[in-house]
Amino acid sequence: CSSGKDATVVVKNPCKFPIEFYSVDFDEQYLEEEKVRRQVWGCDSPKTFWLPPRAAGETLPPEVLQYWEAQKRLKAQQAEAKARAEAEAEAKAKGKVAPAQKNGRKSVKITAEPVVEVIENPITRALERHLGVNRSPEAHEALMRKGIVLIVHGAPVAGKTATAAALGAHYGALCLSIDTVVKEAIANN
């Protein structure tokens, strides 16, 4: 119940990057980001989760913001569909007939499927982007690709290079020659 006190606070930044101050009670950006954070986790309890570092004044990662916008559009679509269904049920209960049905024709209402793509886990996607992790199907397939490595070894002038080239052509594989690798290394210093 006091009227408060005035005080001077001195803040020193020993780091080479800027530090940002904000009030968790009055900062509009922080309050909006808190709503987004709660939506991402689907609850009101505080949880700790990792996000990529961001510069002073920067917003949440784009993956998290896209998720938030997709969730808002999805909720709006669901609310619109629910309101339409309730209006149709109310009209049906009152015995009202749609204008197209008075002429003996049936009206066909075409409703679009939700066009909202919801990102599975925006926090993981943001961290993967920050760390440079490529989780595309092509990258996954490249990691999962397995094959056979053939090493052709033998005495000099025994036909190793010709045999390796023939095997590579037959199996559609690359043929790597140690002589070529050494020559390229010497040429490139």
Side-chain angles (χ1 to χ4, degrees):
C1 297
S2 70
S3 61
K5 288 188 175 185
D6 290 340
T8 302
V9 177
V10 177
V11 178
K12 292 182 181 182
N13 182 4
C15 305
K16 57 185 171 184
F17 55 86
I19 295 177
E20 184 177 21
F21 287 92
Y22 56 90
S23 167
V24 295
D25 295 323
F26 304 112
D27 187 273
E28 293 297 322
Q29 180 179 341
Y30 172 80
L31 295 172
E32 183 65 24
E33 288 177 359
E34 189 63 18
K35 281 190 228 173
V36 172
R37 184 190 68 81
R38 291 176 194 276
Q39 175 67 35
V40 167
W41 283 104
C43 67
D44 289 330
S45 64
K47 291 188 177 183
T48 302
F49 58 92
W50 296 97
L51 284 174
R54 53 186 179 168
E58 206 174 63
T59 62
L60 290 171
E63 294 83 1
V64 175
L65 296 174
Q66 289 170 359
Y67 177 87
W68 170 248
E69 291 299 321
Q71 287 294 325
K72 287 195 318 190
R73 286 193 304 270
L74 184 61
K75 283 184 179 181
Q77 287 175 349
Q78 290 171 343
E80 182 182 324
K82 184 179 178 183
R84 193 179 1 204
E86 288 173 355
E88 288 175 0
E90 185 178 315
K92 198 179 228 185
K94 291 182 178 180
K96 291 185 179 180
V97 179
Q101 291 178 342
K102 289 180 182 177
N103 302 338
R105 291 180 272 148
K106 292 183 178 179
S107 67
V108 177
K109 186 180 287 187
I110 299 174
T111 58
E113 291 293 320
V115 293
V116 176
E117 177 191 341
V118 179
I119 301 172
E120 279 184 36
N121 187 336
I123 304 295
T124 303
R125 303 274 299 272
L127 287 171
E128 287 172 352
R129 179 183 50 80
H130 176 70
L131 296 173
V133 176
N134 185 358
R135 307 247 8 233
S136 67
E138 296 83 18
H140 180 71
E141 184 179 319
L143 286 174
M144 299 309 291
R145 190 175 303 145
K146 295 180 181 175
I148 298 173
V149 176
L150 297 175
I151 299 173
V152 180
H153 177 71
V157 194
K160 298 180 296 293
T161 304
T163 303
L167 286 169
H170 178 73
Y171 289 109
L174 296 175
C175 184
L176 180 64
S177 167
I178 297 297
D179 293 339
T180 306
V181 171
V182 171
K183 288 177 187 174
E184 285 183 12
I186 291 170
N188 295 328
N189 292 325

